[in-house]
Amino acid sequence: MKMLLFFLRLFIWFSLRNMRRHMGRAATVLFGIALGAAVFTSVRLSVNASLDSFSKSMDLIAGQADHVLTRPGGYVPENLMATLLNQEIMQSASPVMSTYTRVSQADAEPFLLIGFDPILDRPMRQWRVDDQSGQQGAAWLDLLKEPYTLILGKPLAHQLKLAPGDSLILEHARQKVRFKISGMLEPNGLALAESGRIAITDIATFQEFTGLFGKVDRIDLKLVSSATSKDLAAVEQLLPEGIQLNPPTATRESGQMMIRAYQLNLSILSFASLFVGMFLVYSLVALNAASRRHELAVLRATGASAYHIFFIFLAEGAFLGIVGWLVAIPLGHILIKYLLHGVSQTISTLFVRVQVDALSLSVYEIVFSFFVTVGISVLAAYQPAREAMQVPPKEALEISQLGMQARISPRQLAFGGLGCILLVVPLSKLPAILGMPLPGYLAIFLLFVGFALLAPWALVKISHILSSILLKRFGIPAYLAGRYVRDSGTRTAVSVGALITAVALFTALVIMIFSFRQTVAYWTYETIKGDLFLTSKMGQINRFRYPVPQPVIDHLQNYRSQVDLLPNRQFFLTYDKFPYVFELMDMQGYMQYASFFWLKGDPDKIRPMLKGGEGVVVSEVFSNRTGLSVGDFFEAQIEESYVKLQILGIVRDYRTQGGAVFYSLPHFNKRYHPVYWGGLRFFFKDRSQDLDAAVARLRTDIIDRLGDRVDMYSGKGLRGAVLRIFDETFAVTTVLLLIALLIAGLGIATTLSVLVLQRSRQLNTLFALGASFRQIRSMIFWEAAFLVVIGELAGVICGFILSYLLIYVVNRQSFGWTFIYAVDWDALLLSIPLIIITALAAALPAVKMVFRRPPATLLRER
């Protein structure tokens, strides 16, 4: 205990007082660490909030069910209830239906409407009507007695400004109906699903509202405690063809799998900001060790052991990490407001719909963030602490040294860096581990380390080559700067490594985002073709589960003289928990106007086979996730039919919620069973006319004749919306990238300060011998230019390699897709000079530091 108290007193006297004397440099490092920690923590909390919201909603909707009866892509016959309830192992069974609907008014947001039998559902789900009026029993009985009554969640009721007794008009694919509000749900149990944006109604009303008489989405089952697997197998034998008995967690687990893949990628990217901030800690601890070398020798001479010195500097790193993490709390509070919205919107767009109204703080995430921040700060301080403990006591009697002497030559570091880079290729070829691209991330880490270790050797070589040129063209300051950078050796490795990391991330993400966007733009142009798209009301948010009304289809036949009508139907299915879309389309008409984005297979051979219904084509994502390729057979239960078709080819497809499988709609109807139309594409036969005007006229005419019974999107508008969603998706990535570059700029400023302090006597000697302030400032700026240009060039090269890893390894293993490699040269050529200018501006604090004390004072000091 005494030793600990002594160490704390020594730390306060030796380290904290020094930080207080140099508040500016300590504040810079703390801000960098805090910013990195705030980004890392905010991103993880935002993704976790979305994940928790989704999981919570799925669990609350699933309730206490042990098993669920579903029909993939279709509905379950309601008459199964009688058979199920007669089974001895069945404790209870509840038919359930759900859909998204909305109030019939402009800009109304959809909400979840759930239909069930209020009596049968009592053992399954926890929900209670708010009893403020004392009419709780009457409220839920109204669902049974009165058609078109519902009970609202309180958040939804407050948003719509409605109360019990009020009414509202809801619209759906089939009709608009006025509902009466009989009560509001207490804020617990089922009422917390979808952040309270739900309403419940009786299943009979639901079926009448949607037109699904005798059908339900699923039947939830609760078994007696004595039920065995044999009993369960007996129940399965009673089920009609195509009805499946699944655990209630199947939908939740598939959604969680996709969100966690996104979480891992975003966490790694946000960690880059914290990783770059680690260089700041290294620079400051190295600066303190270099500038106080004489004091360290005095400490050693007066009895302090080498390990005392080591732990003092290690404690400096820990202190910076702890304080930086504390400062990150208010910064994170600001950041998370933006990130929570951006992350949840991206997850809703790409994966599954989530409603996040409040942030749920996770103790695990807070503790994890703390230990990661402090851990990397201590790790960053390790090497400077090792060097500080090796200061010999005899230096207390000598003239001050010029700074820490490098013990490892640039050539040795270069060999280590080259070894790291060579390991990148074999690591990138390894398969994902537990569904995560861990080998790819390890390859990226080794790539950063390798380039950082190569940087000192590159500085030495380039400085040696350019010395004579600098002397002739730019004078003595540039020449001396080049010589010093050459002699500084490994002291610059960490700072240049920070800049390399930030620039490489910037370059790689610019390339990846541009490649992705160009590929998606080409895909939308080739594949999402159509002059006008029509679906049932709210068809997209309800996954096209409701048919386009027959009167609408009958009326649309009148336009066949002007347009070709191409119907389609989509089934949202899962393959071993992986979600995908099985899409039926008129292949003959589709290939007349559009084309797939082919990846594998001979299109000329495949097209006639697709038109003839001889097989399917699958998306790259589906192939990568399932392991199925050309020549294999696609098998699935779709409604009452078991489908088995050969895979003819693989195409690129960037729809947001998983993979895709495409087959001919007419041949499905003949070979398996007839299906309704979920949507249509319109193609004008006369392609020479003004298509925008023609689309507007057709859309207006349909609305005049059919009202707002359907949703319509112009092909041009839909393609623009896809690209707009893409840009919004990567907005979070851009913010993280800019923060990493900011932290790297702080690292350059700290490193130059270290170099200036280490040779303050040299610089002031030059001044005493006649060098001007301008010449010395010029020399420091030339040093900064060397560091920045080398860091920039190495970062760009590293970024190109990193972009390949991101596109062909990480994205493929995380999400299943790749895209055509393309480089946005305009953005790179514009950004590189801006980054150089910004980094050079970081040299200003170091220039001011040179002349902070009079030269005569420094030259008198020992």
Side-chain angles (χ1 to χ4, degrees):
M1 188 66 181
K2 290 182 179 180
M3 288 294 295
L4 179 61
L5 291 174
F6 170 76
F7 176 79
L8 290 175
R9 291 177 60 190
L10 182 61
F11 174 73
I12 293 170
W13 171 78
F14 184 82
S15 294
L16 294 189
R17 285 185 179 181
N18 183 62
M19 288 186 189
R20 189 175 61 183
R21 284 198 299 268
H22 304 284
M23 287 293 293
R25 90 176 61 139
T28 300
V29 174
L30 287 173
F31 177 73
I33 283 288
L35 195 56
V39 170
F40 180 72
T41 308
S42 299
V43 164
R44 288 190 61 85
L45 286 176
S46 298
V47 180
N48 276 336
S50 300
L51 181 61
D52 289 345
S53 175
F54 170 76
S55 301
K56 184 178 180 180
S57 291
M58 290 295 100
D59 289 340
L60 290 171
I61 292 172
Q64 302 297 315
D66 299 319
H67 292 83
V68 178
L69 287 183
T70 60
R71 169 172 273 162
Y75 299 95
V76 177
E78 191 177 15
N79 58 19
L80 270 179
M81 284 293 298
T83 303
L84 294 169
L85 290 174
N86 285 331
Q87 303 304 307
E88 293 182 1
I89 67 165
M90 205 64 59
Q91 180 176 326
S92 58
S94 174
V96 182
M97 307 184 77
S98 64
T99 188
Y100 284 97
T101 184
R102 65 187 173 208
V103 177
S104 183
Q105 62 185 40
D107 301 323
E109 295 183 13
F111 63 88
L112 186 64
L113 177 66
I114 302 175
F116 48 61
D117 185 313
I119 297 175
L120 290 177
D121 197 71
R122 279 295 178 181
M124 293 291 181
R125 271 159 284 272
Q126 178 189 355
W127 56 274
R128 287 176 59 87
V129 181
D130 187 21
D131 199 23
Q132 290 182 355
S133 62
Q135 300 294 319
Q136 183 182 134
W140 74 266
L141 282 175
D142 284 344
L143 297 183
L144 295 172
K145 294 188 301 182
E146 298 184 28
Y148 295 109
T149 57
L150 50 75
I151 301 174
L152 295 180
K154 279 190 175 181
L156 178 61
H158 293 160
Q159 181 183 357
L160 299 176
K161 298 179 181 178
L162 296 171
D166 294 340
S167 64
L168 72 167
I169 298 175
L170 297 183
E171 59 181 20
H172 197 255
R174 184 169 169 266
Q175 60 182 328
K176 292 181 182 179
V177 174
R178 182 175 295 277
F179 278 79
K180 178 185 176 182
I181 302 171
S182 63
M184 290 193 292
L185 293 170
E186 288 185 356
N188 54 58
L190 183 62
L192 299 178
E194 295 269 325
S195 297
R197 290 182 48 78
I198 71 162
I200 62 174
T201 189
D202 180 62
I203 196 166
T205 293
F206 190 104
Q207 290 172 327
E208 189 171 347
F209 179 48
T210 58
L212 296 173
F213 298 103
K215 302 176 183 178
V216 296
D217 291 341
R218 69 177 196 268
I219 298 178
D220 292 348
L221 307 178
K222 190 173 179 63
L223 310 181
V224 296
S225 58
S226 60
T228 64
S229 57
K230 186 176 180 179
D231 295 328
L232 203 59
V235 171
E236 288 189 88
Q237 294 296 321
L238 300 173
L239 301 178
E241 184 71 24
I243 304 297
Q244 296 181 355
L245 188 63
N246 295 311
T249 58
T251 303
R252 183 192 66 189
E253 289 173 356
S254 66
Q256 287 175 334
M257 180 179 66
M258 293 188 292
I259 296 175
R260 287 196 176 106
Y262 177 67
Q263 179 188 42
L264 180 63
N265 282 274
L266 209 57
S267 294
I268 294 293
L269 183 59
S270 63
F271 180 75
S273 299
L274 198 54
F275 181 69
V276 174
M278 184 177 91
F279 296 118
L280 293 177
V281 176
Y282 176 95
S283 298
L284 181 60
V285 177
L287 184 150
N288 290 340
S291 62
R292 307 182 72 190
R293 187 177 180 92
H294 187 73
E295 296 175 46
L296 296 176
V298 171
L299 277 176
R300 291 294 313 279
T302 55
S305 70
Y307 284 101
H308 274 116
I309 304 298
F310 174 76
F311 284 112
I312 283 175
F313 283 98
L314 216 59
E316 280 192 16
F319 176 80
L320 291 170
I322 293 170
V323 177
W325 183 83
L326 292 173
V327 176
I329 294 175
L331 284 177
H333 181 70
I334 298 171
L335 275 174
I336 205 165
K337 292 180 180 179
Y338 167 78
L339 290 173
L340 185 61
H341 171 73
V343 167
S344 61
Q345 184 180 48
T346 299
I347 290 173
S348 294
T349 301
L350 290 179
F351 309 118
V352 291
R353 182 177 175 86
V354 295
Q355 289 279 351
V356 185
D357 293 336
L359 180 70
S360 54
L361 292 179
S362 166
V363 175
Y364 168 79
E365 287 298 332
I366 299 297
V367 173
F368 180 70
S369 166
F370 175 82
F371 279 105
V372 169
T373 305
V374 176
I376 68 164
S377 299
V378 172
L379 184 63
Y382 177 80
Q383 184 58 31
R386 288 280 299 174
E387 292 186 357
M389 72 182 291
Q390 293 163 6
V391 174
K394 65 179 182 179
E395 286 192 17
L397 304 175
E398 297 174 357
I399 299 296
S400 296
Q401 301 296 304
L402 297 179
M404 301 293 182
Q405 300 300 315
R407 291 181 171 270
I408 304 176
S409 70
R411 179 173 294 186
Q412 289 175 300
L413 289 179
F415 278 119
L418 187 60
C420 290
I421 293 173
L422 291 176
L423 286 173
V424 169
V425 175
L427 278 173
S428 65
K429 295 182 180 297
L430 294 176
I433 299 173
L434 299 176
M436 297 180 290
L438 298 181
Y441 286 129
L442 181 57
I444 290 172
F445 176 75
L446 290 179
L447 184 69
F448 287 148
V449 173
F451 270 86
L453 295 179
L454 280 173
W457 178 82
L459 284 169
V460 170
K461 289 298 179 183
I462 292 176
S463 300
H464 179 74
I465 295 170
L466 297 180
S467 291
S468 58
I469 299 175
L470 292 172
L471 181 61
K472 292 178 182 179
R473 294 291 183 90
F474 302 103
I476 292 177
Y479 173 76
L480 291 176
R483 291 294 297 270
Y484 182 76
V485 169
R486 184 192 70 183
D487 296 337
S488 64
T490 58
R491 285 185 295 244
T492 59
V494 173
S495 59
V496 176
L499 188 59
I500 289 172
T501 300
V503 172
L505 278 171
F506 179 84
T507 304
L509 289 175
V510 165
I511 293 172
M512 186 191 77
I513 293 171
F514 182 74
S515 299
F516 201 176
R517 197 181 196 282
Q518 291 294 99
T519 307
V520 170
Y522 183 79
W523 169 68
T524 58
Y525 178 77
E526 285 292 312
T527 304
I528 310 181
K529 277 194 173 179
D531 299 320
L532 184 67
F533 289 77
L534 180 147
T535 72
S536 55
K537 202 71 176 175
M538 290 180 292
Q540 187 171 11
I541 193 172
N542 283 312
R543 296 187 165 189
F544 311 102
R545 294 173 60 239
Y546 303 96
V548 176
Q550 189 59 44
V552 172
I553 295 175
D554 293 340
H555 174 76
L556 294 178
Q557 304 302 323
N558 298 324
Y559 298 102
R560 282 197 177 275
S561 61
Q562 308 172 43
V563 298
D564 284 328
L565 302 177
L566 273 63
N568 61 73
R569 172 70 194 279
Q570 294 183 0
F571 296 91
F572 287 77
L573 309 170
T574 58
Y575 185 100
D576 192 23
K577 299 182 182 179
F578 168 67
Y580 70 96
V581 177
F582 183 74
E583 182 167 353
L584 301 172
M585 59 173 64
D586 181 351
M587 290 291 180
Q588 186 77 34
Y590 176 78
M591 292 185 184
Q592 181 181 346
Y593 294 99
S595 174
F596 289 109
F597 194 170
W598 298 97
L599 182 66
K600 187 179 291 187
D602 185 348
D604 293 333
K605 293 181 180 179
I606 296 173
R607 289 189 190 102
M609 298 174 74
L610 278 176
K611 294 176 184 177
E614 297 178 36
V616 299
V617 290
V618 303
S619 71
E620 176 190 23
V621 176
F622 183 87
S623 176
N624 288 335
R625 288 298 194 194
T626 63
L628 298 177
S629 189
V630 176
D632 295 332
F633 281 87
F634 163 77
E635 300 179 56
Q637 180 71 44
I638 300 175
E639 295 189 325
E640 63 264 28
S641 298
Y642 181 76
V643 176
K644 183 176 181 179
L645 296 163
Q646 188 175 30
I647 297 174
L648 305 176
I650 298 175
V651 298
R652 295 184 189 272
D653 188 271
Y654 298 98
R655 66 188 65 221
T656 56
Q657 295 181 343
V661 179
F662 303 94
Y663 186 57
S664 167
L665 174 60
H667 289 89
F668 186 92
N669 288 336
K670 292 178 182 178
R671 188 170 182 175
Y672 297 107
H673 65 270
V675 297
Y676 61 73
W677 292 3
L680 299 97
R681 302 187 195 207
F682 295 75
F683 288 93
F684 281 94
K685 295 179 179 180
D686 181 8
R687 310 303 294 173
S688 62
Q689 63 180 311
D690 183 345
L691 292 177
D692 289 342
V695 167
R697 287 195 301 271
L698 177 61
R699 186 172 185 170
T700 301
D701 189 61
I702 292 174
I703 291 174
D704 289 343
R705 294 177 182 273
L706 300 176
D708 59 350
R709 298 173 65 182
V710 293
D711 285 341
M712 289 181 288
Y713 312 90
S714 70
K716 186 176 181 180
L718 184 60
R719 290 187 287 273
V722 170
L723 295 178
R724 185 172 61 254
I725 289 170
F726 175 90
D727 293 333
E728 291 173 354
T729 298
F730 282 95
V732 173
T733 303
T734 304
V735 171
L736 300 182
L737 186 58
L738 293 175
I739 290 173
L741 286 172
L742 172 62
I743 296 172
L746 296 176
I748 291 293
T750 309
T751 299
L752 289 172
S753 299
V754 173
L755 297 179
V756 166
L757 280 178
Q758 286 180 343
R759 58 201 176 99
S760 57
R761 180 167 284 97
Q762 292 179 15
L763 297 175
N764 282 279
T765 299
L766 288 174
F767 178 74
L769 294 175
S772 66
F773 287 114
R774 180 176 173 275
Q775 287 176 314
I776 293 175
R777 281 195 296 266
S778 177
M779 184 174 68
I780 295 173
F781 272 112
W782 272 105
E783 291 173 8
F786 267 107
L787 297 179
V788 171
V789 170
I790 292 297
E792 182 93 15
L793 290 175
V796 170
I797 296 170
C798 180
F800 272 87
I801 301 173
L802 176 60
S803 66
Y804 183 90
L805 292 174
L806 290 175
I807 291 173
Y808 294 107
V809 179
V810 172
N811 268 291
R812 186 178 185 276
Q813 293 182 355
S814 295
F815 305 111
W817 57 45
T818 59
F819 21 92
I820 299 173
Y821 195 91
V823 181
D824 187 357
W825 292 108
D826 292 339
L828 285 181
L829 293 176
L830 178 65
S831 61
I832 288 173
L834 292 176
I835 294 173
I836 291 176
I837 292 170
T838 303
L840 287 177
L844 292 174
V847 173
K848 294 180 180 179
M849 188 179 293
V850 178
F851 308 111
R852 186 169 292 172
R853 299 177 65 188
T857 304
L858 286 167
L859 293 173
R860 283 199 305 268
E861 290 182 353
R862 294 176 57 83

